Amino acid sequence: SSIDLNWYGARVHAVSATAGSLSFDLPPTDAHSLGEGGPVFYVLNVGANSFALRDDAGGAVVTVPAGDAAVLVIKEGGTWGYALHDVL
């Protein structure tokens, strides 16, 4: 399973991880013209397994538990920030 998070596609993604320990890469924060702020992406976990979101260098950003959504923003300095919300 994979999702394509990029600057040209959907901003809202509903993900159902088919196994544990899956991760998805976010695009580089410097490859867009949005600037700081957001939200940039909403990623909803509609499955039974958690999954990790990583930055473009493979570093951990956040693990999204089942039934939660991550709201992703670009922070000052060009790093990813997030908030988790229980949505399901």
Side-chain angles (χ1 to χ4, degrees), residues 3-11 13 24-32 34 40-41 43 53-58 61 72-74 78-80:
I3 56 176
D4 185 18
L5 292 173
N6 61 57
W7 302 119
Y8 311 107
R11 300 288 184 210
H13 298 272
F24 302 100
D25 294 334
L26 297 166
T29 58
D30 61 356
H32 68 89
L34 297 176
V40 177
F41 294 114
V43 182
L53 295 174
R54 304 182 307 188
D55 62 24
D56 61 303
V61 173
L72 296 151
V73 298
I74 298 175
T79 60
W80 285 105

Side-chain angles (χ1 to χ4, degrees), residues 13 29 36 44 51 62 72 74 82:
H13 298 272
T29 58
E36 295 171 13
L44 291 75
F51 57 85
V62 62
L72 296 151
I74 298 175
Y82 68 90

